[in-house]
Amino acid sequence: MKATIDLDDSLYRRLKVEAARRGATVREMVAEGIRRVLETPPASTASETTVSGEEESPAWFGSLGRYGRAVDDHSMAAIRSSVAEGRSRDKGK
């Protein structure tokens, strides 16, 4: 069966690079990803999320949740920066 999937350009480029690295096609990579999602039980339920004010954070945030909530941009670079800032504040205490 054919399906059309709209992917972000940067995500598609990363997928293409990873497929080439593995010697696979993009189609094979997408099918593998879908299989993994369907074969893996859901990681969290509504009861496993923590509520911070009006925002919900996944349970996997754990002790790093305060750093993740400190930024609007949830990219890894922004979270790393927030963690580093928090650590330097903690050292000053």
Side-chain angles (χ1 to χ4, degrees):
M1 172 182 259
K2 288 189 176 197
T4 301
I5 302 170
D6 185 27
L7 299 174
D8 177 51
D9 290 342
S10 64
L11 179 62
Y12 183 73
R13 281 191 298 272
R14 288 177 52 205
L15 176 61
K16 253 182 119 165
V17 167
E18 185 62 22
R21 190 181 72 72
R22 294 182 183 202
T25 65
V26 169
R27 178 186 302 223
E28 291 167 339
M29 295 287 291
V30 170
E32 178 184 338
I34 292 170
R35 274 195 288 295
R36 285 187 184 197
V37 167
L38 295 176
E39 293 169 358
T40 305
S44 67
T45 62
S47 64
E48 293 177 315
T49 58
T50 54
V51 177
S52 166
E54 297 178 12
E55 291 185 30
E56 289 188 11
S57 298
W60 57 263
F61 262 115
S63 63
L64 297 178
R66 65 186 172 130
Y67 301 118
R69 287 186 295 274
V71 295
D72 293 326
D73 174 12
H74 286 230
S75 68
M76 286 307 296
I79 291 174
R80 284 185 186 114
S81 174
S82 176
V83 169
E85 288 173 19
R87 286 183 179 160
S88 57
R89 279 193 303 266
D90 291 346
K91 284 183 182 180
K93 290 183 179 178

